[in-house]
Amino acid sequence: MPHNKPTLILVHEPEKACFDRLVAEGFAAERAIEISSYLAQSTDLAPEFGQLAAACEKHDLAFIAVELDGAAEILAKADRVQTVVWTLTDGIAYFRGGAAPALARLNGLRTIGVDDALFALCQDKFRSGAVLGTLGLPVPQAGLARNGEWLVAPPASSAGWFVKPNRLGAKIGIWPDSRCHDLGHALELSLRVFAHYRDDVVVQPYVAGRNARASFLGLKPDTGIEALGVAFVDSGGDFQTMADSMALYGDTGQAAKAAGTYAEPELEAVGASQPEADRKIGAIAQKLMRALGLRDVFSVDFRVEADDTVHLIEFEVCPGLPCFDFRDYCRRQWGMSLADAMAETAANRLTT
């Protein structure tokens, strides 16, 4: 641990560490593979740690990548004045990355990202939705079911319902039948989710529209909502399933690239075709920043209807930095590679 040089510490939880722990806890290997795949950004970013170190060196920063299991010891020894901590992967249930910003706070270290309390909130979709609704934001109402029983009855919906795990990663669906047209099937899905993943399900009225993502990186401390990048993310399907996700990231995604079968979803600026929807999304993100405390680095997922109706689906405090959409955002908004954008962000935090 260098003590004479400003240092960026990147804390990440590897897929294998998560997989081994889940298997030890009794999860079937196939389920453990699926669950741990949500940590694929650790797998995808690891080959670029050398590039990150070189980019940091340009700013006279040291770079240290720390696996989560070793973070407590490393952060306890870090220099409070010359260290900034960036948490790559979050989690409060299957994943444990939410502990990293709490450890940083415990040791008096500066962080890039939101307060640790929001790491927990964003990972519990039902509680998060309740808070977002209280703020007056356009989030779909939700019911909650556990293992075939309603804990909170879902609202009526003429368009059917959408069923998703409450705490597992950030996906908006697991299987192709996650959209259903009767509540009996929603309860069957909750049985399946509980058997596979030991999780509750959120059951929301289905909302039509295109999937859109707002990305944000506060490269400079005074960066505001003007740096938000909002894009439609079109993958050819109505929503992303577990299989879709696994085909894009981690070892499966790397194998697809090697085989020449990898295909990224298409990105299109929302403002190019629906400027009013783009304006609404910006206003929602602004409220999330002011009222909820989002800052530094985050993403927000939406559904956008053709008439510019916007539905807020969820927010992420640890967006997939090495994913295609965030890399594209760094290029378009900041004119930088991911490594250079991360290094400059860290340098600005340590020199202001």
Side-chain angles (χ1 to χ4, degrees):
M1 168 71 68
H3 290 276
N4 59 348
K5 191 173 187 178
T7 301
L8 166 62
I9 296 179
L10 183 73
V11 181
H12 63 104
E13 183 175 8
E15 285 184 84
K16 186 178 186 308
C18 178
F19 172 83
D20 290 344
R21 179 169 46 81
L22 291 172
V23 170
E25 292 174 3
F27 282 88
E30 183 178 355
R31 302 285 83 81
I33 289 172
E34 290 176 343
I35 294 169
S36 60
S37 74
Y38 285 92
L39 297 173
Q41 63 169 315
S42 289
T43 301
D44 291 341
L45 194 58
E48 299 178 44
F49 286 164
Q51 296 176 39
L52 270 167
C56 285
E57 186 61 36
K58 295 176 186 176
H59 297 276
D60 199 29
L61 298 182
F63 171 74
I64 302 175
V66 177
E67 293 189 5
L68 183 62
D69 288 332
E73 181 180 359
I74 297 295
L75 297 186
K77 297 177 181 178
D79 185 292
R80 292 188 176 193
V81 176
Q82 301 205 88
T83 303
V84 64
V85 178
W86 193 324
T87 301
L88 179 65
T89 46
D90 55 22
I92 57 168
Y94 311 93
F95 324 117
R96 300 164 299 147
L103 286 171
R105 182 163 62 89
L106 178 66
N107 289 287
L109 302 171
R110 281 181 280 185
T111 59
I112 292 173
V114 301
D115 291 339
D116 44 286
L118 287 184
F119 276 72
L121 181 64
C122 78
Q123 285 289 298
D124 189 311
K125 294 183 179 67
F126 187 76
R127 294 178 184 177
S128 175
V131 172
L132 296 174
T134 301
L135 288 173
L137 296 170
V139 60
Q141 290 182 284
L144 187 69
R146 177 180 301 153
N147 200 22
E149 296 184 8
W150 293 114
L151 300 179
V152 178
S157 173
S158 59
W161 295 266
F162 199 83
V163 182
K164 58 188 179 183
N166 187 45
R167 299 176 303 165
L168 179 57
K171 294 296 168 288
I172 61 169
I174 293 293
W175 301 289
D177 61 344
S178 290
R179 180 188 178 186
C180 60
H181 294 277
D182 69 82
L183 292 177
H185 188 64
L187 286 179
E188 192 280 324
L189 285 168
S190 85
L191 285 167
R192 200 189 309 169
V193 166
F194 194 86
H196 284 203
Y197 309 111
R198 306 178 191 175
D199 200 5
D200 301 339
V201 296
V202 171
V203 181
Q204 297 175 315
Y206 173 81
V207 292
R210 299 172 69 185
N211 298 316
R213 173 164 293 171
S215 299
F216 180 87
L217 177 65
L219 194 79
K220 301 175 182 178
D222 60 351
T223 301
I225 197 65
E226 73 282 351
L228 191 74
V230 187
F232 287 119
V233 185
D234 292 323
S235 59
D238 188 28
F239 56 88
Q240 192 176 62
T241 65
M242 174 71 82
D244 294 333
S245 174
M246 292 182 70
L248 285 172
Y249 312 117
D251 292 337
T252 307
Q254 296 295 338
K257 289 178 181 178
T261 58
Y262 177 79
E264 291 180 351
E266 294 183 5
L267 298 173
E268 174 194 328
V270 171
S273 58
Q274 295 187 239
E276 176 60 16
D278 184 73
R279 185 198 64 78
K280 289 181 179 179
I281 289 172
I284 291 169
Q286 178 76 75
K287 189 163 188 177
L288 288 170
M289 294 176 77
R290 294 184 63 187
L292 202 60
L294 293 192
R295 64 171 187 263
D296 295 346
V297 58
F298 62 84
S299 65
V300 191
D301 288 331
F302 298 89
R303 295 276 274 187
V304 179
E305 298 190 46
D307 65 356
D308 293 327
T309 299
V310 171
H311 304 275
L312 170 59
I313 302 302
E314 59 194 3
F315 69 92
E316 288 297 324
V317 299
C318 283
L321 300 184
C323 297
F324 63 93
D325 56 305
F326 201 83
R327 291 182 190 274
D328 182 80
Y329 165 75
C330 288
R331 287 192 298 267
R332 290 177 182 272
Q333 177 61 41
W334 297 112
M336 294 183 180
S337 69
L338 176 63
D340 286 333
M342 291 178 67
E344 185 156 332
T345 300
N348 287 334
R349 291 301 183 279
L350 285 167
T351 57
T352 55

